Amino acid sequence: MIVYDRLWITMKKKGISQYALIKKYQVSPGQITRMKRNESVSTHTISMFCEILDCRVEDIMEYRKNT
């Protein structure tokens, strides 16, 4: 399972809020909700977040084995 817990940590470190993602970077609120729920998102979305946050994929998401 892919989880996005690292995204919220990276956003905090970079000082970028969810509000800024929506208003300044025109990120869809639906995409943010999908990531909060650890639902699937496109590689385009992952790439967009990496560009906005100037980070690596590993700073946004990780794989966790289902138990």
Side-chain angles (χ1 to χ4, degrees):
M1 160 184 232
I2 300 294
V3 295
Y4 300 100
D5 298 341
R6 293 179 179 182
L7 170 63
W8 318 115
I9 295 166
T10 301
M11 285 173 54
K12 187 172 183 175
K13 285 180 184 176
K14 301 283 183 166
I16 297 178
S17 67
Q18 291 179 44
Y19 181 82
L21 288 175
I22 295 166
K23 294 299 181 183
K24 183 175 181 183
Y25 299 102
Q26 284 79 47
V27 173
S28 162
Q31 290 294 5
I32 295 171
T33 298
R34 292 182 65 78
M35 295 175 95
K36 281 183 181 180
R37 295 177 181 167
N38 292 319
E39 296 175 352
S40 63
V41 295
S42 70
T43 53
H44 171 77
T45 298
I46 299 300
S47 178
M48 178 181 61
F49 273 87
C50 287
E51 188 173 330
I52 291 168
L53 297 170
D54 188 28
C55 67
R56 301 174 305 160
V57 172
E58 309 89 78
D59 298 325
I60 291 177
M61 58 191 250
E62 70 177 308
Y63 172 77
R64 289 189 192 154
K65 188 174 180 178
N66 291 336
T67 55

